[in-house]
Amino acid sequence: MFQPIGDQGRAALVERRIADAIMGGVLHAGERLPAETDLAQSFGVAPATAREALLALRERGLITTRRGRHGGSFVADTADPTTFALDALAATSRVALRDAATHYATITAAAVELAARRADPSEIALIRHRLERVDPADPIGWRRASDDAQIELSALSQSARLTREQMRLQAELSPLFALADREPERRTATRERFWALLDAVERGDPTTAVDLSRAAVRDAVEWLIDLRESLGAS
């Protein structure tokens, strides 16, 4: 209640950037993170915001804290992107997975619907241009770019609340979505579907944009459920 208004949503953004760096292999297992004050200065946020982001990362098992003279926050030894995502998937029940997907689909659909009504075509062209620069054979690059593009679409909804929630959900579910990116065929299909979504938003067609968005989530969650069962999860 009494947190500074200007820092709302910033902890989630700091968390996402660090998590992306870990999941993308920029930060490696055992690597030490900057101190809270240094992180806060680098990201331009309050120390309390950096502390909140680090706490969230610890709860997700991405970093650990060591005390003492040589202590601090370190990337967890188990923070291999694929291993982490597979373990998280196996530990998530089908009911919880579907529930998370329903929440994600609802927020994403609301955002793209508003974007289709409010966005200028030139703004969509910029998103498309950035995606075109990504190497289709690079699954990590594609995941980063598509996550950013999804958040940019949410921002075009002109709803700060929807955008903040999209950012939070993207950070939570992106590691799972990245599992499918390992397969070139699925990566290609995902890319083509996102292109169609951008086309719908660009021409101001909210119905098609919402339908494409929901279909993409349904397809992703069914694939994840199949993968989860192949891992022997009950």
Side-chain angles (χ1 to χ4, degrees), residues 20-21 34 47-48 143 160 187 190-191 193 203 224:
D20 283 351
R143 176 46 44 197
R187 195 165 63 247
T190 301
R191 185 183 176 93
R193 182 175 282 154
R203 66 175 179 266
L224 285 170

Side-chain angles (χ1 to χ4, degrees), residues 14-54:
V14 173
E15 176 195 348
R16 175 175 174 267
R17 287 189 180 178
I18 297 175
D20 283 351
I22 295 172
M23 295 298 184
V26 178
L27 293 173
H28 304 285
E31 188 168 344
R32 184 175 183 172
L33 299 180
E36 287 180 3
T37 53
D38 294 332
L39 273 178
Q41 185 175 8
S42 297
F43 285 111
V45 299
T49 302
R51 190 176 308 119
E52 182 181 346
L54 292 174

Side-chain angles (χ1 to χ4, degrees), residues 7 9 12 43 48 51 86 89 107 140 150 154 177 182 209 222:
D7 272 345
F43 285 111
R51 190 176 308 119
L86 289 172
L89 179 62
I107 295 299
I140 294 175
Q150 191 68 67
S154 294
F177 294 155
R182 298 176 303 166
E222 292 304 323

Side-chain angles (χ1 to χ4, degrees), residues 151-166:
I151 292 171
E152 288 182 78
L153 270 181
S154 294
L156 294 179
S157 72
Q158 300 176 24
S159 168
R161 291 189 178 189
L162 280 176
T163 302
R164 285 196 296 269
E165 185 64 5
Q166 184 81 60

Side-chain angles (χ1 to χ4, degrees), residues 92-103:
T92 305
S93 69
R94 281 189 296 175
V95 172
L97 191 58
R98 289 189 186 280
D99 185 53
T102 297
H103 187 188

